[in-house]
Amino acid sequence: MTQVHLDDAVTPAPGPARKSIVDRMFDLRARGTTVGREVRGGVTTFVAMAYIVLLNPLILGASADITGAKLSAAQVTTATALAAAVMTVLMGLVGNAPLALAAGLGINGIVAFQMAPQMTWAQAFGLVVLEGVCIVLMAVSGIRERIMNAIPGPLKTAITVGIGLYIALVGLVSAGFVTRTPDSANSTVPVRLGLDGHLDGWPIAVFCFGLLLMTVLMARKVPGAVLISIAVATVLAVVLHDGFGVGDWGLTTPTLPGKVVAAPDFGLLGHVDLFGGFASAGALTATIFLFTLVLSGFFDAMGTITSVSAEAGLAQNGRVPRMGRILLVDGAGAIAGGVSGSSPNTVFLESAAGVGEGARSGLASVVSGLLFAATLLFTPIAGIVPAQAAAPALVVIGGMMVAQCRNIPWHDSDYTIPVFLTVALIPFTYSITNGVGAGLIAFVLIKTCRGKWRDAGWILTVLALVFTVYFGIDVVRAIF
């Protein structure tokens, strides 16, 4: 019998390195990311959207309900931070996607300026909860995912490009780089450079500095380029304001706060009347409000999820992993927004800023959510970063998203006009829903007129009819 010596024994090949608990939870290695990148991405997303903690109270607090009651700024601030914290962490743990949620801009205006004057705040938040219930039911039943999968690839890409232009425009406007022309109906242009056709003032200089710094750092592939640029621009803004008295910063003044900690006020939590709005505003009006909330929440989130996921490289054959769970959490965000009193919560476009910093998993969302939770106590600190320091991230990431237009089949006449309408109307009307609706209607119409209505399918045909009602909602209201 042959004797085997120890020296002759074959050394077993080393097995794969054991995954850490965090890696197993968020699939970091499979997504080509690291804990460091996810933390940077999560912090960047939070910094880019922290303004909502200050802006949402201003929007909701600018209107009174049918009884003349106004919301407390402290209570809305707490509600905004609380809902964003809970839902963003939930998105990270359940959806494992680098998507942060908070009170949706635009849709909070519907609650404040259209719904509240015709009902009490509790009744308005009750309709918000019902909106969330409708979206959750569509997510659970699989209808929402089927709708998203039914939309052709070129139109999904068009949504990404349109959103890129949209968030770039939002960044330019919020920084004051671009402004609306007063009485634009009598002007040759609706928007202009700066306040009077040219750039002026230190706040604009801070924006330009931050934009150029971010561009250079990203071109040189410096880790943390977005976050570094925002931090440096914020320090510069604080020095200019506190050291030299520079003003005109807009919503957020870059000044060191007098106090660091402020106690949260949970007075709006659970302040909900589910069905009272149907009595106060009337069944038809309340139903139209609910329809508008559902449609806006549905397609705004769809466009954002699709585009941010594509930018993160998560889409596989046009589909996003765990989409059912992501949509479920997004629908639950509307419910959380109603229960907390912060208006519907939805996925934020600013999540793209974190993706640009390297975020690829739900760990980034957990980081963003925890930072939102911290603002419950450290609200004064959240108010340090001015729009001029954060807006460059939106412009740069928006430009990166627009690059997806190279994948659009512009030569295909079935898609040319629908894609153009989608891309153009999203930024021009400041609404993802409007762009998606116009694109779908044009696509179905072209397919039908060319005798290819089967190519559009029944789902898109029904959606086109729904959007037709949406665009003509005032006519529907007048008829009924």
Side-chain angles (χ1 to χ4, degrees):
M1 186 173 73
T2 305
Q3 188 176 8
V4 179
H5 298 281
L6 289 177
D7 292 339
D8 298 329
V10 178
T11 303
R18 294 184 61 184
K19 293 183 178 181
S20 66
I21 295 177
V22 174
D23 195 345
R24 290 198 299 270
M25 285 182 63
F26 299 104
D27 232 5
L28 301 184
R29 195 177 307 174
R31 298 192 179 194
T33 186
T34 64
V35 172
R37 289 181 184 176
E38 296 302 304
V39 171
R40 285 202 309 269
V43 173
T44 301
T45 294
F46 169 76
V47 171
M49 61 186 286
Y51 67 86
I52 192 63
V53 178
L54 302 171
L55 182 58
N56 197 43
L58 292 181
I59 294 175
L60 293 183
S63 181
D65 69 7
I66 195 171
T67 67
K70 287 195 170 187
L71 297 176
S72 160
Q75 291 179 346
V76 178
T77 299
T78 297
T80 304
L82 176 65
V86 173
M87 297 315 304
T88 302
V89 170
L90 198 61
M91 177 63 79
L93 296 177
V94 176
N96 193 20
L99 302 167
L101 289 81
L105 287 174
I107 199 167
N108 56 0
I110 295 174
V111 175
F113 303 115
Q114 296 182 32
M115 294 169 58
Q118 300 193 49
M119 59 188 71
T120 67
W121 285 111
Q123 292 165 351
F125 291 135
L127 284 182
V128 170
V129 172
L130 293 179
E131 173 220 343
V133 171
C134 291
I135 294 178
V136 166
L137 289 177
M138 286 191 287
V140 171
S141 64
I143 293 176
R144 194 176 183 188
E145 188 169 1
R146 289 187 64 184
I147 291 174
M148 292 185 69
N149 291 334
I151 296 177
L155 286 184
K156 288 181 179 178
T157 303
I159 293 171
T160 299
V161 174
I163 289 176
L165 290 173
Y166 178 25
I167 66 174
L169 181 59
V170 168
L172 293 171
V173 171
S174 63
F177 192 90
V178 171
T179 61
R180 184 180 68 84
T181 303
D183 192 20
S184 58
N186 297 322
S187 175
T188 56
V189 293
V191 294
R192 61 187 176 183
L193 192 67
L195 290 175
D196 52 5
H198 66 275
L199 301 178
D200 186 30
W202 282 106
I204 297 297
V206 170
F207 167 76
C208 293
F209 169 76
L211 180 60
L212 293 174
L213 177 62
M214 191 175 298
T215 301
V216 171
L217 293 180
M218 291 191 72
R220 294 182 63 88
K221 302 186 184 303
V222 175
V226 175
L227 191 56
I228 291 172
S229 302
I230 293 174
V232 172
T234 299
V235 171
L236 176 59
V238 171
V239 170
L240 288 172
H241 180 269
D242 289 351
F244 298 92
V246 174
D248 298 325
W249 295 95
L251 175 65
T252 304
T253 301
T255 183
L256 295 177
K259 58 180 181 179
V260 176
V261 178
D265 186 341
F266 297 98
L268 288 177
L269 189 61
H271 190 59
V272 174
D273 181 352
L274 283 179
F275 301 104
F278 291 90
S280 293
L284 177 61
T285 300
T287 301
I288 290 175
F289 283 146
L290 182 59
F291 174 74
T292 303
L293 289 175
V294 171
L295 206 61
S296 297
F298 187 109
F299 285 98
D300 275 21
M302 185 200 75
T304 303
I305 292 169
T306 300
S307 59
V308 175
S309 298
E311 188 64 27
L314 299 180
Q316 301 171 357
N317 298 321
R319 301 191 178 189
V320 180
R322 297 196 180 192
M323 178 59 82
R325 296 185 181 187
I326 293 172
L327 296 176
L328 180 62
V329 175
D330 177 72
I335 297 176
V339 172
S340 66
S342 64
S343 78
N345 276 230
T346 187
V347 175
F348 253 55
L349 288 170
E350 283 79 356
S351 302
V355 168
E357 195 55 61
R360 295 293 181 270
S361 77
L363 179 57
S365 295
V366 172
V367 172
S368 299
L370 292 177
L371 290 173
F372 271 116
T375 62
L376 288 169
L377 293 175
F378 300 98
T379 303
I381 295 180
I384 295 178
V385 182
Q388 290 80 3
L394 302 184
V395 177
V396 170
I397 302 305
M400 293 170 62
M401 294 171 68
V402 170
Q404 294 290 329
C405 68
R406 65 183 180 275
N407 299 319
I408 295 175
W410 293 104
H411 62 279
D412 191 334
S413 59
D414 285 356
Y415 290 106
T416 304
I417 298 302
V419 163
F420 170 75
L421 289 175
T422 301
V423 170
L425 290 183
I426 289 177
F428 289 168
T429 66
Y430 255 54
S431 170
I432 298 172
T433 301
N434 291 344
V436 173
L440 285 178
I441 290 174
F443 178 73
V444 172
L445 181 63
I446 289 173
K447 286 292 187 181
T448 301
C449 290
R450 295 190 63 186
K452 300 180 179 179
W453 63 270
R454 288 188 179 86
D455 291 352
W458 70 269
I459 293 179
L460 295 188
T461 301
V462 170
L463 285 179
L465 293 174
V466 170
F467 273 113
T468 301
V469 174
Y470 170 75
F471 287 126
I473 198 69
D474 288 334
V475 176
V476 174
R477 184 186 284 112
I479 293 175
F480 295 98

